[in-house]
Amino acid sequence: MNRCSLWQQRARLDTVEPVKQAFPADVPPAAHSPAGAPDGHGTVFSHHDGEEHNDSANRDEQASYPSQSPLPPSPSAATPYTGNWPPYALLLVSCLIVAAAGLGGSAARVALQKCFEKNPFFPKYTYIGPNSLGSFLMGFSVTVLPPEGALPLTHRALCVGFCGSFTTFSSWIVKAMVQNTVADALEHLFIGGTMPLVFFLWGRDCGRGVRWCCEHVVDSPWETWPLHRSLLRAVDAVMFVLVFLASILAPVLVLVYIGEGGIRVISTDDVRMVVLAPAGAVTRFMLSVYLNKKACAAQFPLGTLAANLLGVLLAIIMYNMEVNHLSCEWCIAVQNGICGALSTVSSVANELVSFYGSGRMLSAYVYALVSVGFSVFIAGVGRPQLYRHAVS
């Protein structure tokens, strides 16, 4: 190759090099060429032309939708009014309101059981009334109320405190396992397990009806309720005051009427049950707070399960002591007070229906079988001391 050809090749490379430098270093030239130019050659649009094209497109879009307003923020994005509270302030206030509401729920359960004892058909099913009615109230409350994060105190007062203490899981299991025949035990297990679920579904349907009426009368969709932080804060404050006033005044009025002889149905054992109930309600709430937030709690509510199993264990121990006449009065109070408020049927019904609603039917069956199966096993282990005694 002669010197002339080398000079011509170098000149040709010098003329091509500036074209390559016209493109950014990190973008290939093909990206700046039209789609129909396979070798990268063709007309390249300038940045100014692109701005004019985008501006015209935006003007056309605004002309097509002149009255379009931005969408409101989603309720899940709204920060609850308790977001700036100290870490343990909400937990402490929640424990107080759960204890106060648990006092009322336990008192209502004792009163309803007294009414069922007078009925000739329901003497052996005293737990059916509180469990069914409490499950109905639970289904109604969780449907009507906003999410727990938006209205924490009211939600925990009604659902955790009142409904949780109004229904009792331990009394149902112990009553079934101390029967004299297997047929009677299965009868109690079947009736006590199905009736609360049916009443929970009825309560949920009634809550949906109330929501539909409110949305059409007030013209405010239920999904936007968590956005009204001031209103929710006021509702929680009113609920807190009312629950505490009721928890303080109700026992005082009952004691006054008992002293005057106006109330003859309520006994000293009933008063002990009601007074001890807040301890069980707060324990159940703390178990749900710390155990239901575990990674496996999405498939298995460990807090509710632990509370029910612990309630059944303590209740069967107290029942054995009652049969053997060891501190009988306090055994009855602990069994129906602490254990009755510690264990709950309404929360189990709520969790089972939630599993079904989300399509996790296998989780629902596993949770139901584990809850009832382990409880029956615990009560069965504690039952051998009761074989010699007749069960009413």
Side-chain angles (χ1 to χ4, degrees):
M1 182 178 296
N2 54 15
R3 184 177 298 177
C4 182
S5 60
L6 290 175
W7 181 84
Q8 292 176 354
Q9 184 177 4
R10 180 177 297 178
R12 187 166 55 252
L13 291 175
D14 292 338
T15 57
V16 175
E17 189 68 24
V19 178
K20 293 182 179 180
Q21 296 296 331
F23 301 106
D26 56 344
V27 180
H32 296 266
S33 61
D39 56 351
H41 296 284
T43 305
V44 180
F45 294 99
S46 65
H47 182 68
H48 180 71
D49 294 336
E51 287 182 351
E52 290 182 352
H53 177 73
N54 292 335
D55 292 341
S56 61
N58 292 335
R59 285 194 298 269
D60 294 338
E61 184 177 358
Q62 292 177 0
S64 301
Y65 305 96
S67 61
Q68 186 177 5
S69 59
L71 295 176
S74 61
S76 59
T79 304
Y81 74 89
T82 56
N84 56 354
W85 284 26
Y88 292 98
L90 179 60
L91 182 62
L92 178 60
V93 175
S94 298
C95 288
L96 293 177
I97 199 169
V98 165
L103 190 70
S106 179
R109 170 165 50 86
V110 171
L112 190 58
Q113 286 178 347
K114 293 293 183 181
C115 296
F116 270 61
E117 288 177 357
K118 295 180 179 180
N119 194 305
F121 180 74
F122 292 109
K124 64 176 183 178
Y125 300 111
T126 55
Y127 57 85
I128 288 293
N131 287 353
S132 299
L133 184 57
S135 298
F136 178 88
L137 295 176
M138 173 68 86
F140 182 84
S141 299
V142 298
T143 306
V144 171
L145 294 177
E148 183 178 358
L151 199 65
L153 299 184
T154 302
H155 194 283
R156 291 169 183 175
L158 294 178
C159 300
V160 181
F162 185 84
C163 294
S165 300
F166 190 34
T167 61
T168 171
F169 189 88
S170 59
S171 298
W172 165 46
I173 295 296
V174 171
K175 188 68 174 180
M177 292 307 297
V178 299
Q179 298 300 311
N180 293 323
T181 63
V182 177
D184 291 338
L186 293 177
E187 177 187 356
H188 279 272
L189 289 175
F190 178 77
I191 295 177
T194 55
M195 292 299 292
L197 287 175
V198 173
F199 275 83
F200 180 90
L201 295 176
W202 286 349
R204 185 191 62 176
D205 293 340
C206 291
R208 288 176 176 176
V210 171
R211 276 179 49 182
W212 184 87
C213 294
C214 292
E215 289 178 354
H216 287 75
V217 172
V218 184
D219 196 17
S220 177
W222 181 83
E223 289 77 8
T224 62
W225 290 4
L227 299 177
H228 304 287
R229 298 177 58 183
S230 300
L231 178 61
L232 298 179
R233 186 188 299 111
V235 171
D236 267 354
V238 172
M239 177 61 66
F240 185 83
V241 173
L242 291 179
V243 168
F244 261 90
L245 288 178
S247 64
I248 294 173
L249 294 179
V252 173
L253 294 177
V254 168
L255 291 176
V256 169
Y257 275 103
I258 290 177
E260 295 179 355
I263 298 179
R264 301 183 182 275
V265 178
I266 299 178
S267 62
T268 307
D269 293 336
D270 298 332
V271 176
R272 291 195 186 103
M273 296 176 196
V274 175
V275 172
L276 293 177
V282 173
T283 303
R284 171 169 44 83
F285 171 67
M286 296 301 293
L287 287 174
S288 65
V289 167
Y290 287 104
L291 293 182
N292 283 359
K293 292 183 179 180
K294 299 295 183 181
C296 57
Q299 302 293 333
F300 221 73
L302 297 178
T304 307
L305 177 64
N308 286 338
L309 295 182
L310 184 60
V312 171
L313 175 62
L314 186 58
I316 197 66
I317 293 174
M318 293 296 105
Y319 196 92
N320 276 277
M321 296 178 66
E322 176 190 351
V323 171
N324 291 280
H325 305 288
L326 300 175
S327 302
C328 180
E329 296 179 354
W330 283 104
C331 289
I332 296 176
V334 172
Q335 179 184 352
N336 295 320
I338 295 180
C339 300
L342 176 60
S343 59
T344 176
V345 172
S346 58
S347 296
V348 175
N350 182 27
E351 290 156 356
L352 289 176
V353 174
S354 298
F355 282 145
Y356 263 90
S358 59
R360 294 180 291 177
M361 291 183 290
L362 180 60
S363 299
Y365 280 108
V366 171
Y367 178 53
L369 291 176
V370 170
S371 298
V372 178
F374 275 87
S375 300
V376 169
F377 175 77
I378 292 173
V381 171
R383 188 183 186 277
Q385 301 181 22
L386 308 175
Y387 283 136
R388 299 187 302 271
H389 303 276
V391 180
S392 58

